[in-house]
Amino acid sequence: MTLLHWAVLLPFIAAILIPFLYKYLKRIHTGWFVLVLPLVLFVYFLSFIPKTSSGEVILNNLNWVPSLGINFNVYLDGLSLLFALLITGIGSLVVLYSIYYLSKHKEKLNNFYVYLLMFMGAMLGVVLSDNLIVIYVFWELTSIASSLLISYWYTREKSVYGALKSMYITVFGGLSMLGGFSLLYVIAGTFSIRELIANADLVMASSLFIPAMILVLLGAFTKSAQFPFHIWLPDAMEAPTPVSAYLHSATMVKAGIYLVARLTGVFGGSPEWFWIITIAGLVTLTWGSISAVRQKDLKGILAYSTVSQLGLIMSLLGAGSAAFYFQDGDNALYMTAILAAVFHLINHATFKGSLFMAAGIIDHETGTRDIRKLGGLMTVLPVTATISLIGLASMAGLPPFNGFLSKELFFTGMLNVTEYGIFNLETFGFIIPVIAWIASVFTFLYCILMFSKTFMGKFDISKLKVKHVHEAPVGMLISPVILAALVILFGLFPNLLAYSLIEPAMAAIAPGILSPGEFFDVHISHWHGFSPELWMTFGVVILGILLFMTFKKWENTAFYRGEQDLFNYAYDYGFDGFIKGSQWLTRIQMTGRLRDYFIYMNTFIILIMAYTMYRYSLPAIQSLDLSPIPVYFWLVILVFVCSIVIIPFINNRVALIITTGVSGFIVALLFVLFRAPDLALTQLLIESVSVILFMLVFYHLPKLKKVKTPPKMKAVKLIISVGFGLMITLGSLSVFSMGQEVNFDSISEYYVENSKEEAGGYNIVNVILVDFRGLDTMLEILVVSMAVLTVVSLIRLRFKGSEDI
Amino acid sequence: METLVTILAGVLVTVATYLLLSKSLIRVIIGTAILTHAAHLVIMAVAGLKTGTVPIVGEGDPVDPLPQALILTSIVIGFAVTAISLVLAYRTYQELGTDKLDKLRGNPDE
């Protein structure tokens, strides 16, 4: 256990303490205690920057289940550190914000902070682990914590719906991912990511490469809300706003991004990886930005905008993965995409966090998040308006904010894609930047829409539930102000991040491309001449404004009014369909009738036995060593078969008992003929007692009625019973013939020889029963005793209040 | 003779299965009893029905005693089970007033 291990486990330990703090220190908001932890961790992780920026990595081993190759190894490089800083940094701000957002009198703060800390620890575990299984464990913990946080207000139906939906989708992806990890283990024999990257050639050459890749990507895409798994994210907006800001914009939804970035070293360089990720990212980007325009809820807009921005980062990672195809240090072209991805990752976390917090403030102060009721808040909430303006401008990609820089880099990356000349890109590669550009127009549009609908126009208090609207308390504004300040800071001085955070992260995403001692060239410039990217940005702004100006015209079209995502219908109907389908399936087979179950069982036995005999060409009855049949035996058989066959046709109770008795006595006679005196005696005795019992019971039972069975049912019964009888006969014959084929000596010779010498008895059967195999007899006695007790208690015990016998 | 006895056992199983598939509880119980006979005959037959004396020392070359011991155990257990099911049927009829398996189906909501 090193300090880094403790850093991952610390939030979990703290989570245990929260309920006590909440219970015994009620006067102080529990959030203040929690706040210390992410702050300390943030400072701790900051101390690693000098190490990682000089290309150093830290690996600390801790055995967990070494026999299965599962070890809690902590691995810290540029990428892990970037995520750890995001998690702890934004975590601190979110905790601070939540202290003012959640009232200590009304809310169950103990639940909230336990879940939040659990999430924070799990997220740190995901980004700091080197072992795939450990990543999976923490991955599912984030899913669970996320669902708990979404359903924080568990009395609201929509919260529970959102939590379940996110749970189903992310756990589905998580399980697929586990399958992918297992396949990777099958290929390379290790769960360690570093060793997998070292063996990337082996993985590439394997026939399991594509299945493993798709399964892992399912995990990453569901978690990062990629198309068409994005539908859980808008419904997760039922969570408290600090949760939305933390989990559903800055950290958890980037776990998938992290995984893709981390495993680029393993899968990157293959055309499948490039195409799947790039296309999924672009489709998500476009779909998310178009859907965001249609939303009327502030958090709904932000949710779809998150989906869209995640798609942007994902497509950049896809485009950047082509770097592995060339495997050289020339980073002018494709590494730009990875640079843009990492840079935008940071930028998105800053501006999206601040925007969510601003939306939370608006909700908190006005009581609604519906943009149709809001308007003209600029003078009422000036600070919030400023924060939103900065965040939205950055999101839309306007200078001088950091979003502008990453959007320019995004365009550069996408334009570079067309110049690759690999993976068939020369033919239709031009579509990629065009789609990216269209999506950016919509991004710009929803940013303007959100701002104008919320802050501009006329302020109308009558639409709101609250009587008086005023600016949020200072404490609530601290976090968004810090984030907005970062947006401006990173916008004006992007190179602050360049070699401290971005370059190490790029080196971690693309391992093995640089020779030791080399560094990627990271220089983010504001102005690089009248490049195509700049013209694209101009185009975005102009077209976006045009669309906004003509907004009145298409405001009432079906496109704008429809809020629901098409895939929500698919999910809802699919979910209902699954439930209805399984109910239907259960209803047709679980009839509750004993007879039907008998039919299933017997049919299966018949089919399995018949198939086995057919498959192994049984019964192989060639020249069996059979005993001769005495003449009188035929007579016995005749009587026996007659007495048996008429049983089903008897409708008189006494006749039925007598016929059954007769067959039992004939069995006793058969035993006599087979030279089994003890059996014959026992059978006679027991048959007599049985007949008496039958008589006794039948006296209390109703008369048998002639049952009219439909002929179809009769035929089914007949086929099954004849088939079953046939199988038993053939099976026993096969057993007999095989016994003769193998021709082992019978064990009985020992009993015959030693019955007198060893046990001192002449009756061999009795000696076997009480001496050689006495245990059977003892337990058989137990069976009989239990039967007696059962019979007695069945008759004597009455719990329903009916009279005793 | 072994072939004949196994065929006989097959006939017993056929009738027993037919009874097990009927609606009346009593017929089901009789079916199980007949199934027991069939099992005994099969055990006898597959062990071989060689001619010999009764399995008592000093009588000469005895038949195989082991299947006889097995069947003896089985007869007693079969009887115990039959007794329980009979009493169960009796109590079922007493409490629920029917011996028709179709009606003994429990709650439709389950």
Side-chain angles (χ1 to χ4, degrees), chain A residues 309 344 347-355 391 394-395 402-403 487:
Chain A
Q309 305 277 318
H344 196 71
N347 294 344
H348 178 248
T350 52
F351 65 67
K352 194 52 69 69
S354 68
L355 282 174
S394 176
M395 186 152 78
N402 57 7
V487 169

Side-chain angles (χ1 to χ4, degrees), chain A residues 591 595 675 698 748 762 794, chain B residues 23 26 52 57 64 91 105:
Chain A
T591 55
R595 192 198 323 194
R675 289 168 201 82
F698 273 33
S748 304
Y762 289 90
L794 270 175
Chain B
K23 282 182 186 165
I26 302 148
V57 178
D64 198 338
R91 290 285 296 126
R105 279 183 57 192

Side-chain angles (χ1 to χ4, degrees), chain A residues 522-790:
Chain A
V522 180
H523 186 72
I524 304 163
S525 54
H526 291 265
W527 178 253
H528 27 69
F530 287 100
S531 54
E533 295 88 347
L534 193 67
W535 294 117
M536 280 168 89
T537 305
F538 273 128
V540 166
V541 174
I542 291 164
L543 207 64
I545 289 175
L546 273 178
L547 274 172
F548 177 66
M549 301 285 259
T550 55
F551 180 67
K552 283 253 172 340
K553 284 183 186 158
W554 52 277
E555 195 172 22
N556 290 318
T557 56
F559 166 77
Y560 181 69
R561 273 183 297 155
E563 269 182 79
Q564 274 293 357
D565 203 300
L566 280 176
F567 289 87
N568 270 328
Y569 294 116
Y571 170 85
D572 288 336
Y573 284 120
F575 197 81
D576 278 357
F578 270 128
I579 289 175
K580 286 201 179 116
S582 58
Q583 278 171 343
W584 170 77
L585 205 64
T586 312
R587 233 179 291 125
I588 56 166
Q589 44 138 351
M590 306 293 276
T591 55
R593 280 192 215 98
L594 188 63
R595 192 198 323 194
D596 292 341
Y597 302 140
F598 267 135
I599 289 176
Y600 303 151
M601 283 194 284
N602 285 336
T603 313
F604 265 97
I605 295 173
I606 292 168
L607 290 178
I608 286 170
M609 283 184 79
Y611 174 74
T612 314
M613 286 185 205
Y614 163 76
R615 173 81 177 68
Y616 298 100
S617 37
L618 285 173
I621 311 157
Q622 286 106 15
S623 54
L624 288 179
D625 184 12
L626 296 171
S627 317
I629 306 170
V631 183
Y632 59 86
F633 199 73
W634 287 106
L635 190 70
V636 180
I637 296 292
L638 191 70
V639 178
F640 192 30
V641 169
C642 286
S643 73
I644 288 293
V645 169
I646 57 167
I647 288 178
F649 302 102
I650 301 173
N651 284 317
N652 181 302
R653 287 189 294 176
V654 179
L656 184 63
I657 298 160
I658 290 172
T659 325
T660 318
V662 166
S663 60
F665 290 123
I666 295 177
V667 172
L669 183 60
L670 284 176
F671 287 147
V672 171
L673 298 177
F674 294 150
R675 289 168 201 82
D678 300 293
L679 288 190
L681 268 176
T682 318
Q683 180 68 33
L684 269 178
L685 199 66
I686 280 195
E687 203 54 45
S688 314
V689 178
S690 298
V691 169
I692 295 169
L693 251 178
F694 269 97
M695 287 289 190
L696 269 176
V697 170
F698 273 33
Y699 178 72
H700 296 281
L701 286 182
K703 288 217 166 88
L704 285 171
K705 272 180 219 133
K706 199 168 176 183
V707 200
K708 275 212 174 135
T709 326
K712 213 168 150 192
M713 192 63 220
K714 225 170 207 168
V716 170
K717 278 168 75 174
L718 208 63
I719 289 168
I720 285 176
S721 35
V722 169
F724 198 43
L726 195 68
M727 286 305 135
I728 295 292
T729 303
L730 291 176
S732 334
L733 275 180
S734 317
V735 170
F736 182 59
S737 75
M738 276 196 290
Q740 289 204 328
E741 236 169 78
V742 178
N743 202 19
F744 284 131
D745 286 337
S746 170
I747 195 177
S748 304
E749 277 165 35
Y750 171 84
Y751 295 135
V752 173
E753 276 164 22
N754 291 302
S755 174
K756 184 163 168 275
E757 276 76 37
E758 301 273 330
Y762 289 90
N763 186 331
I764 305 168
V765 174
N766 287 6
V767 167
I768 292 175
L769 281 174
V770 297
D771 195 314
F772 291 124
R773 298 176 60 89
L775 205 62
D776 288 358
T777 312
M778 194 181 85
L779 295 177
E780 170 198 333
I781 293 168
L782 188 68
V783 169
V784 174
S785 331
M786 279 164 63
V788 170
L789 288 175
T790 313

Side-chain angles (χ1 to χ4, degrees), chain A residues 85-137:
Chain A
L85 286 174
L86 279 181
I87 293 161
T88 49
I90 302 211
S92 316
L93 296 176
V94 161
V95 170
L96 179 65
Y97 178 78
S98 72
I99 292 171
Y100 292 93
Y101 188 83
L102 295 171
S103 150
K104 73 176 169 188
H105 304 294
K106 288 182 209 151
E107 306 284 357
K108 291 197 173 87
L109 293 175
N110 49 346
N111 291 355
F112 183 80
Y113 288 110
V114 167
Y115 302 157
L116 199 73
L117 283 176
M118 204 168 102
F119 170 79
M120 193 184 287
M123 200 62 210
L124 281 176
V126 167
V127 300
L128 289 173
S129 302
D130 176 52
N131 195 289
L132 288 176
I133 295 296
V134 178
I135 288 188
Y136 172 73
V137 170

